[in-house]
Amino acid sequence: MTVDKTTVTDSKAERPPMVKAEQVHKSFGHLEVLKGIDLEVQPGEVMCMIGPSGSGKSTFLRCINHLEKIDAGRLWVDGHLVGYREKGGKLYELRDREVAAQRRDIGMVFQRFNLFPHMTALENVMEAPVRVKKEPKDAVRERARALLERVGLADKMHSYPAQLSGGQQQRVAIARALAMQPKLMLFDEPTSALDPELVGEVLEVMKRLALDGMTMIVVTHEIGFAREVGDSLVFMDGGVVVESGPPREVLANPQHPRTRDFLSKVL
């Protein structure tokens, strides 16, 4: 399946980047994990990030919604600095309440599903809009039902996580993130915890999101997904962007020796 999004991305050039990173650095103690990341993601774009474990991909995703604070550089989402305000050339950290408000616009799907075990699929999807956004329960319930139908789980609305397969739980997690009506979706290896036969059902949901024009950054080992669905492909290693470009070009003709070495092991 080749994803054609021309109809939903024609106007994106007129808008600022959905994500812009300038010289983003992040260390944990003496370990420097991000060593100056520069990249842009346009509205409606699907950027796939690949690379070996420990290369900084997941840390970068967590910096985008300020789950990790960057040590240097700047990050913007939809034109707004993430986690800070700038005044007189200096950065001032936002209050927790202001950071939480920023996060409402950014959906994140993790490797592990992190569903509330005591809530049904429907209740899991409803929880954040009702609790965080204080939206009316009836309206949220209708949206949650529509989202579960959209991810192919219309018949599992009243099932608890323990009654669902891993693939079904991950699809509930995607619906839960979408329930907040985000402008950006971050996926951190969303299929890596799944049995191989369940991977396809989650990737199919993500393909449909791409067709709908959702801006997405996807950290993944699924090279076929990156080739078919991605608008751009970033290869990270050692905390830096080693190579980036259109997925088919990077995968077919990598320019950097480190990229060639990595792809020779995974293709």
Side-chain angles (χ1 to χ4, degrees):
M1 171 184 173
T2 300
V3 176
D4 179 8
K5 299 181 293 176
T6 52
T7 56
V8 293
T9 57
D10 284 345
S11 63
K12 72 183 181 185
E14 302 162 17
R15 298 165 56 188
M18 182 60 74
V19 178
K20 183 176 181 179
E22 279 187 1
Q23 282 299 296
V24 170
H25 290 255
K26 174 66 184 176
S27 296
F28 296 100
H30 296 298
L31 178 64
E32 192 177 13
V33 179
L34 300 177
K35 302 175 182 177
I37 302 296
D38 291 299
L39 57 77
E40 289 187 3
V41 183
Q42 302 303 324
E45 179 179 346
V46 177
M47 174 179 282
C48 293
M49 306 187 80
I50 62 172
S53 297
S55 58
K57 308 181 302 296
S58 296
T59 297
F60 178 67
L61 276 198
R62 292 172 65 84
C63 289
I64 291 173
N65 63 4
H66 208 57
L67 288 173
E68 300 289 354
K69 299 176 186 178
I70 65 175
D71 298 321
R74 281 165 170 68
L75 260 172
W76 291 266
V77 171
D78 202 20
H80 300 285
L81 268 176
V82 173
Y84 300 90
R85 72 166 57 84
E86 189 167 6
K87 189 174 181 182
K90 291 185 177 180
L91 292 182
Y92 298 90
E93 192 164 0
L94 298 179
R95 300 184 190 91
D96 288 347
R97 177 170 47 83
E98 295 170 304
V99 172
Q102 284 189 334
R103 284 199 190 115
R104 293 175 194 174
D105 291 329
I106 306 171
M108 188 157 184
V109 178
F110 300 88
Q111 296 178 38
R112 296 290 171 181
F113 326 121
N114 300 326
L115 299 178
F116 295 114
H118 61 289
M119 293 183 180
T120 64
L122 186 66
E123 290 166 341
N124 265 283
V125 175
M126 291 177 60
E127 180 71 2
V130 171
R131 294 266 184 175
V132 177
K133 283 189 166 181
K134 311 297 183 188
E135 293 186 52
K137 217 169 196 177
D138 289 344
V140 173
R141 183 180 290 107
E142 287 310 304
R143 187 160 82 241
R145 287 179 179 276
L147 285 168
L148 286 168
E149 191 168 335
R150 185 176 173 187
V151 299
L153 293 173
D155 59 335
K156 300 293 184 181
M157 293 191 190
H158 303 296
S159 299
Y160 290 90
Q163 299 170 313
L164 301 173
S165 71
Q168 290 169 335
Q169 290 185 60
Q170 191 62 298
R171 284 187 280 156
V172 173
I174 293 172
R176 178 182 59 183
L178 292 172
M180 291 291 282
Q181 299 177 305
K183 59 180 73 169
L184 169 68
M185 285 285 285
L186 309 176
F187 292 88
D188 187 8
E189 298 187 19
T191 60
S192 65
L194 301 178
D195 292 331
E197 65 268 23
L198 302 177
V199 168
E201 63 191 50
V202 174
L203 294 181
E204 195 59 41
V205 169
M206 294 168 65
K207 287 178 185 179
R208 290 200 294 272
L209 280 181
L211 279 169
D212 290 342
M214 175 61 74
T215 311
M216 297 157 60
I217 304 179
V218 184
V219 171
T220 185
H221 295 297
E222 301 294 335
I223 301 298
F225 175 85
R227 183 187 290 112
E228 292 176 25
V229 183
D231 297 299
S232 57
L233 181 67
V234 169
F235 171 65
M236 281 185 65
D237 189 30
V240 299
V241 173
V242 175
E243 188 166 346
S244 63
R248 291 173 187 269
E249 290 181 20
V250 174
L251 294 171
N253 188 27
Q255 300 299 300
H256 196 282
R258 184 67 189 93
T259 316
R260 288 198 292 272
D261 180 59
F262 176 79
L263 291 175
S264 72
K265 294 180 173 71
V266 300
L267 289 177

